[in-house]
Amino acid sequence: MLKIENLHVKLEEEDKQILKGLSLEVPAGQVHAIMGPNGSGKSTLSYVLSGRDGYEVTEGSATLDGESLLDMEPEERAAAGLFLAFQYPVEIPGVGNMTFLRTAVNAQRKARGEEELSSGDFLKLVRTKAAELQISPDMLKRPVNVGFSGGEKKRNEILQMAMLAPRMCIMDETDSGLDVDAMRLVSDGVNALRSPERSFLVITHYQRLLNHIQPDVVHIMANGRIVKSGGPELALQVEQQGYGDLLAEVG
Amino acid sequence: MTATIDLEVREGVDRETVETVQNMGSYKYGWETEIEMDYAPKGLNEDIVRLISQKNNEPEWMLEWRLEAYRRWLTMTEPKWAMLNYPEIDYQDQFYYARPKSMEVKPKSLDEVDPKLLATYEKLGIPLKEQMILAGVEGASPSPAMDMAIAATEGRRVAVDAVFDSVSVGTTFKEELAQAGVIFCSISEAIREHPELVKKYLGSVVPQSDNFFATLNSAVFSDGSFVYVPKGVKCPMELSTYFRINAENTGQFERTLIIADKGSYVSYLEGCTAPKRDTNQLHAAVVEIVVLEDAEVKYSTVQNWFPGDEEGKGGIYNFVTKRADCREARAKVMWTQVETGSAITWKYPSCILRGDESQGEFYSIAIANNMQQADTGTKMIHLGRNTRSRIVSKGISAGKAQNTYRGLVTMHPRATNSRNYTQCDSLLIGDQCGAHTVPYIEVKNTSSRVEHEATTSKVDDDQLFYCRQRGMDEEEAVALVVNGFCREVLQALPMEFAMEAQSLVAISLEGSVG
Ligand SMILES: Nc1ncnc2c1ncn2[C@@H]1O[C@H](COP(=O)(O)OP(=O)(O)OP(=O)(O)O)[C@@H](O)[C@H]1O
Ligand SMILES: [Mg+2]
């Protein structure tokens, strides 16, 4: 599904290298977790994959089912099935959450040459998904993320993910700021989406999330590279011992 | 239940915007109607003024009024204080009257109107048949949300006065309005049929000598709309005028007079379009509104004159004087404008809050893209006690455009305990455009309060990226974010207009990114 090879990325504006030869492969149907110290480049990776401005790829490649992501516009990547749940969801004043969702869903369908969702079908779908995530009708009506609590914003990201049904879901610290119940809701939401055709890349600092969403592989990222990969036990090790020993071990 | 319907209506509206953006080219009203016209000779002199008066079969007093204005105008000079740059206008190098030949004998009903004219309005999406209007945007695809939108607006009909170049083509729903006592007709007809009302109120809000452009208008106005709502009457439907400039090289000077008698209510809409041409055309309109005790008038404009091309060639020069006089206690007026067109906009819809406890509101979206220049705002003149005013202005600049908000708030000594709140937000798209805010505030008593808030921001890259990550292309993303920025004003518009305005916002910004 997602294949990243030897990715080198620097900031466009300054001479600062952030990703330094990162390689990673997430096969279809799998859940991979990325853990790593603050500033190791996890969010940068998610932004580069989704096409945000401000970064320059100096070397390496990233493909989604063999198609190079790096040459596509952000909206083309989205239509190809790449979704990013933002670490810091963006507020859009004056634009109703529902309007935003509907516009996004139909934009993607249109880009893929599919029929637009009728408003009836859309409403039915959004109400069901919102109820599952305990997102109130009021929140659907309010402007996108404006005045939402931290946890509400994160749940809203998952609602968008559920509505857009992407193939490749990247979640950047979706668990940060969630209370115990919200964590369960979000995990249930993600688990419901798990399928042989869909993959997840879950960026997190806490092993806790991985109790709910069982990962197939856990990667440790440091200083712009994946330095170690392993099974779920790797997350437990991080939780118990921190990164010190792990990083010393790999040099 | 009401709440959900409301929600779904709004959703439907917003979605149309996005669809419309995708389905439309740039200025979509740029075609012209090929029709035989009668022109007055080029240029301006007393004979032209007489000719216009004669073409309209006006009584002597009206001609005198015009001539007085004309003589006054000769002594005046064009105002230059606005932040607008344009070549000298040659007032002798244009026509002041253009009428379709087929309108020489005034048709008695719409059935008699030249089919070409009817087709023009049909193509513009303006309902000249006396029917329920269903949806404001043409090609709106029927969908459950739309059905609900229609259901929610059911029973809302709009009476239309259609003005084509210098003449009113026809007015719909006249009889039904007459039953309610409402007079809705062209101003030329009102001058003939209701001289007592016209004599009493014409020029009573915007005097003949008010300013250069208003005085010119007083001399040469050819047609426009007239509304009288009698005491205690809530006008049974929305009234609207659609102005279409078609003839080349012809100035358009309409004059609108609205009188809301004690305790009455009316909502009035104004729309304007013009063909694409590479020469500039002058438009100098005057709108006067008289609001008596406890009456309320809502006046909404979607100004979509041709803005000129990307290089700034062509487009309408729009010099407009609009003023409402809340003449008696508790009178209320609300101006809402969406200004997307015109090469030059010079326009300050104002409220004179004369009656105690009278209220004035001004909601504005002004978009300037490419080489457009807009200098627009409002004046709130507080004369009565406990008067209230509210100004919400949203200016959007893109391309190389310049957008100025110019506003005056005055609290006179007698206007004790009065309040004004002004919110003035500017949004910049790209780095070659400009936004300017010029507020004038005068408070001449100690118990009144004026609040002014202003912000200037750039379209936020993070917002655009967020939208694009969800699948919208850049223009769609900009349209969505800008519509959000304008929401407060869009919501002040009547439903049908809100839909049109939303898509206009998007269309006007085409090519502003990337
Ligand atoms: N636009 C930028 N300008 C300057 N430095 C940047 C920029 N973007 C990223 N960086 C730097 O790159 C490094 C990686 O940042 P990134 O946000 O990817 O880290 P992260 O692994 O997601 O951290 P966290 O766990 O705290 O979220 C940091 O040192 C950060 O300061
Ligand atoms: Mg991060």
Side-chain angles (χ1 to χ4, degrees):
Chain A
M1 172 80 62
L2 179 68
K3 192 168 182 189
I4 306 165
E5 277 181 309
N6 191 31
L7 195 62
H8 286 72
V9 172
K10 69 179 272 292
L11 292 176
E12 220 166 46
E13 299 283 301
E14 47 184 296
D15 213 13
K16 183 171 176 181
Q17 199 75 28
I18 298 177
L19 300 185
K20 304 168 183 171
L22 183 139
S23 299
L24 179 69
E25 187 169 355
V26 187
Q30 291 201 358
V31 175
H32 286 210
I34 297 187
M35 302 180 84
N38 294 132
S40 52
K42 303 181 296 298
S43 293
T44 303
L45 173 65
S46 71
Y47 286 144
V48 169
L49 291 176
S50 52
R52 190 181 193 232
D53 278 343
Y55 307 100
E56 191 187 324
V57 176
T58 51
E59 215 184 316
S61 65
T63 56
L64 188 64
D65 284 338
E67 253 189 292
S68 172
L69 283 172
L70 303 176
D71 306 325
M72 294 186 213
E73 295 293 333
E75 60 270 25
E76 292 170 336
R77 304 182 198 202
L82 184 86
F83 179 91
L84 169 62
F86 284 60
Q87 183 174 1
Y88 305 108
V90 179
E91 300 183 0
I92 310 180
V95 176
N97 212 5
M98 191 100 109
T99 302
F100 180 79
L101 269 173
R102 172 102 157 256
T103 310
V105 167
N106 282 328
Q108 291 203 11
R109 293 178 78 100
K110 207 165 168 182
R112 291 194 292 257
E114 296 165 13
E115 187 106 346
E116 288 194 1
L117 214 52
S118 80
S119 44
D121 290 346
F122 172 82
L123 283 172
K124 236 183 273 161
L125 193 64
V126 79
R127 283 188 181 139
T128 318
K129 303 279 182 201
E132 282 168 13
L133 288 158
Q134 294 188 6
I135 288 174
S136 67
D138 177 57
M139 257 171 75
L140 287 176
K141 212 172 161 178
R142 276 161 53 186
V144 181
N145 292 324
V146 177
F148 286 23
S149 76
E152 286 170 344
K153 285 183 182 168
K154 297 300 178 74
R155 272 188 279 148
N156 199 34
E157 292 291 288
I158 302 306
L159 172 65
Q160 293 178 23
M161 188 164 98
M163 289 299 296
L164 293 168
R167 286 189 294 166
M168 181 68 229
C169 311
I170 305 173
M171 295 162 60
D172 192 357
E173 293 196 31
T174 303
D175 54 331
S176 300
L178 290 182
D179 66 33
V180 185
D181 295 329
M183 173 92 80
R184 162 133 284 146
L185 284 174
V186 164
S187 309
D188 288 350
V190 170
N191 286 328
L193 285 171
R194 286 183 79 158
S195 86
E197 295 86 42
R198 183 172 286 132
S199 309
F200 293 83
L201 190 59
V202 181
I203 299 170
T204 181
H205 286 298
Y206 308 106
Q207 197 271 333
R208 205 175 39 161
L209 177 71
L210 306 178
N211 284 337
H212 297 290
I213 307 171
Q214 283 283 321
D216 297 289
V217 180
V218 175
H219 305 277
I220 307 296
M221 182 164 174
N223 196 18
R225 287 186 305 129
I226 301 296
V227 293
K228 190 173 168 119
S229 303
E233 70 287 348
L234 202 51
L236 266 173
Q237 192 188 337
V238 169
E239 181 95 345
Q240 284 156 10
Q241 303 166 8
Y243 291 107
D245 289 353
L246 257 171
L247 295 186
E249 186 185 314
V250 297
Chain B
M1 192 61 201
T2 337
T4 32
I5 284 183
D6 180 44
L7 167 67
E8 283 154 13
V9 169
R10 286 284 168 202
E11 291 313 314
V13 169
D14 287 328
R15 196 171 70 95
E16 297 309 325
T17 308
V18 172
E19 281 172 4
T20 319
V21 183
Q22 290 164 335
N23 297 339
M24 283 182 177
S26 46
Y27 193 72
K28 72 160 181 167
Y29 306 103
W31 43 270
E32 78 186 271
T33 308
E34 277 194 33
I35 195 162
E36 266 196 89
M37 299 292 288
D38 267 337
Y39 289 93
K42 220 178 203 178
L44 183 54
N45 53 48
E46 285 202 9
D47 287 343
I48 296 291
V49 176
R50 284 174 206 282
L51 184 96
I52 293 169
S53 183
Q54 183 206 332
K55 290 264 183 201
N56 284 344
N57 297 317
E58 286 175 357
E60 190 61 23
W61 60 267
M62 195 63 237
L63 174 62
E64 284 310 317
W65 198 84
R66 287 177 179 276
L67 287 171
E68 203 182 310
Y70 174 68
R71 288 168 197 146
R72 180 68 184 234
W73 181 72
L74 289 176
T75 68
M76 299 169 90
T77 48
E78 211 178 301
K80 293 286 181 199
W81 42 259
M83 218 176 277
L84 300 170
N85 247 316
Y86 55 94
E88 206 63 39
I89 298 170
D90 183 353
Y91 291 91
Q92 296 305 336
D93 188 32
Q94 48 193 317
F95 297 103
Y96 285 80
Y97 189 85
R99 176 177 72 179
K101 279 225 164 87
S102 59
M103 292 295 292
E104 198 168 329
V105 180
K106 192 107 182 147
K108 282 184 199 63
S109 73
L110 279 168
D111 304 336
E112 293 178 15
V113 169
D114 186 342
K116 267 191 186 166
L117 286 173
L118 295 179
T120 301
Y121 286 92
E122 193 173 323
K123 202 168 162 191
L124 291 169
I126 295 157
L128 284 190
K129 293 197 191 88
E130 299 195 352
Q131 61 188 16
M132 303 275 196
I133 61 154
L134 294 184
V137 179
E138 69 183 80
S141 61
S143 64
M146 277 310 298
D147 292 344
M148 276 183 239
I150 290 161
T153 53
E154 202 163 1
R156 287 185 66 178
R157 292 157 307 164
V158 178
V160 177
D161 181 22
V163 177
F164 188 89
D165 289 326
S166 303
V167 293
S168 168
V169 171
T171 312
T172 62
F173 287 110
K174 267 175 102 155
E175 274 163 37
E176 198 175 328
L177 287 166
Q179 276 169 18
V182 175
I183 304 171
F184 180 41
C185 62
S186 69
I187 190 107
S188 53
E189 186 179 331
I191 290 166
R192 293 189 303 267
E193 311 287 329
H194 308 282
E196 65 304 333
L197 285 171
V198 177
K199 266 188 188 168
K200 184 168 175 191
Y201 292 109
L202 187 75
S204 74
V205 185
V206 179
Q208 275 161 305
S209 57
D210 190 79
N211 68 69
F212 182 85
F213 296 110
T215 305
L216 175 62
N217 174 286
S218 300
V220 301
F221 75 86
S222 42
D223 220 333
S225 302
F226 175 84
V227 177
Y228 173 76
V229 191
K231 278 191 189 118
V233 170
K234 181 177 190 302
C235 188
M237 62 186 83
E238 312 221 338
L239 306 182
S240 71
T241 302
Y242 277 89
F243 295 106
R244 174 73 174 170
I245 294 182
N246 190 65
E248 201 160 358
N249 240 326
T250 304
Q252 179 145 344
F253 307 92
E254 5 40 80
R255 183 122 197 157
T256 298
L257 177 58
I258 299 175
I259 303 140
D261 213 327
K262 294 181 197 295
S264 67
Y265 169 84
V266 64
S267 166
Y268 183 93
L269 322 172
E270 176 203 311
C272 353
T273 58
K276 272 186 190 175
R277 297 194 200 287
D278 53 12
T279 50
N280 298 105
Q281 255 170 303
L282 179 63
H283 172 256
V286 171
V287 175
E288 293 181 274
I289 305 180
V290 179
V291 197
L292 301 183
E293 198 175 77
D294 290 309
E296 181 177 350
V297 176
K298 279 189 187 163
Y299 192 108
S300 315
T301 307
V302 173
Q303 189 263 103
N304 186 22
W305 298 120
F306 178 53
D309 68 10
E310 294 88 74
E311 273 92 54
K313 243 183 156 212
I316 302 291
Y317 287 173
N318 195 33
F319 297 95
V320 174
T321 305
K322 290 183 168 176
R323 196 172 302 155
D325 186 356
C326 291
R327 207 159 275 187
E328 298 179 350
R330 295 171 303 281
K332 207 174 156 186
V333 71
M334 177 168 147
W335 294 105
T336 307
Q337 61 169 20
V338 180
E339 301 285 312
T340 64
S342 295
I344 300 277
T345 302
W346 180 99
K347 181 181 170 192
Y348 317 90
S350 306
C351 304
I352 301 173
L353 304 172
R354 201 185 301 275
D356 290 347
E357 288 167 60
S358 57
Q359 286 182 40
E361 288 175 69
F362 173 78
Y363 293 91
S364 169
I365 297 170
I367 299 182
N369 191 6
N370 298 318
M371 302 296 283
Q372 279 178 276
Q373 304 173 61
D375 194 301
T376 182
T378 184
K379 289 187 226 170
M380 294 289 175
I381 317 283
H382 292 251
L383 300 174
R385 297 185 189 95
N386 298 311
T387 46
R388 299 275 178 277
S389 65
R390 184 181 168 84
I391 299 170
V392 178
S393 160
K394 305 278 181 179
I396 297 121
S397 323
K400 294 180 178 157
Q402 295 297 327
N403 203 334
T404 303
Y405 167 82
R406 190 181 300 278
L408 170 70
V409 178
T410 329
M411 302 280 182
H412 281 252
R414 199 183 154 273
T416 50
N417 285 310
S418 296
R419 300 275 177 276
N420 162 264
Y421 172 73
T422 300
Q423 184 194 326
C424 190
D425 299 321
S426 305
L427 188 69
L428 300 170
I429 302 173
D431 47 17
Q432 289 179 286
C433 53
H436 318 275
T437 304
V438 191
Y440 305 89
I441 298 170
E442 296 167 9
V443 184
K444 297 175 188 156
N445 70 63
T446 50
S447 57
S448 292
R449 217 171 51 219
V450 174
E451 270 179 87
H452 181 98
E453 283 175 30
T455 65
T456 301
S457 49
K458 282 198 146 206
V459 163
D460 185 63
D461 286 342
D462 284 336
Q463 288 177 344
L464 295 184
F465 175 62
Y466 192 65
C467 293
R468 295 179 74 188
Q469 206 305 301
R470 298 306 185 240
M472 297 167 220
D473 66 33
E474 204 170 5
E475 284 197 341
E476 215 174 349
V478 169
L480 195 76
V481 169
V482 172
N483 265 311
F485 172 77
C486 299
R487 183 145 197 106
E488 254 177 293
V489 177
L490 289 171
Q491 280 178 333
L493 285 169
M495 173 77 182
E496 299 83 356
F497 254 30
M499 295 166 76
E500 194 184 328
Q502 287 201 9
S503 47
L504 258 184
V505 166
I507 293 160
S508 329
L509 290 171
E510 264 179 16
S512 63
V513 289

